[in-house]
Amino acid sequence: MKRTKQLKRWALILLGSSAVLLVPWMVVLAVTLPAKTEVHNWSLAWIGLDVLMAAGCAATAVLGLRGDVRARLTASATASVAVLDAWFDITTSPMGTALLEALGSAVAEAGLAAACVYLALSKGRQSEPAVR
């Protein structure tokens, strides 16, 4: 038990250190990254995010309906993917209609993320009966 607490403490220290070290890295990126770039495999990147989101929704639904507590993990991951998808939709859209469409999609993705966060924070038990 003591070893588990030590590992958890070191993992948390690593996470905190990473947060601090990422600040100067973000400054470097802000100063050095070009404003525009050509992206290869653009459609694959976007489809990949949607595949991850669909897989997360499906996994969360299946696990949740079975009463499996691991649905909280998939819900958490899916919420993250939905927020990332919305972020990239908005930040990569040109002004005008495309941006309005991205904002509309972001509202839907925010709703999905909120539902996933709710499920991730729910106190489910292995023995809970499936929702019917």
Side-chain angles (χ1 to χ4, degrees):
M1 185 69 155
K2 186 175 182 182
R3 180 161 167 76
T4 302
K5 284 185 180 182
Q6 287 176 335
L7 285 174
K8 183 177 180 180
R9 179 174 168 75
W10 279 108
L12 293 170
I13 289 170
L14 178 64
L15 286 173
S17 300
S18 296
V20 171
L21 292 172
L22 280 168
V23 173
W25 177 243
M26 288 183 275
V27 172
V28 168
L29 291 177
V31 172
T32 62
L33 283 177
K36 292 183 179 187
T37 188
E38 183 177 328
V39 179
H40 300 283
N41 300 315
W42 182 254
S43 60
L44 181 61
W46 286 108
I47 292 166
L49 275 175
D50 288 337
V51 166
L52 283 172
M53 198 161 27
C57 289
T60 302
V62 168
L63 291 171
L65 289 170
R66 289 182 179 171
D68 191 323
V69 295
R70 292 176 295 181
R72 296 171 71 187
L73 298 173
T74 58
S76 178
T78 305
S80 298
V81 172
V83 169
L84 284 172
D85 195 319
W87 171 261
F88 284 106
D89 281 344
I90 293 168
T91 59
T92 61
S93 292
M95 291 295 201
T97 305
L99 181 57
L100 291 176
E101 290 172 359
L103 290 169
S105 293
V107 170
E109 289 159 343
L112 173 63
C116 286
V117 168
Y118 170 78
L119 291 170
L121 296 176
S122 297
K123 294 192 179 199
R125 291 192 192 101
Q126 188 76 20
S127 60
E128 264 187 11
V131 178
R132 298 191 185 210

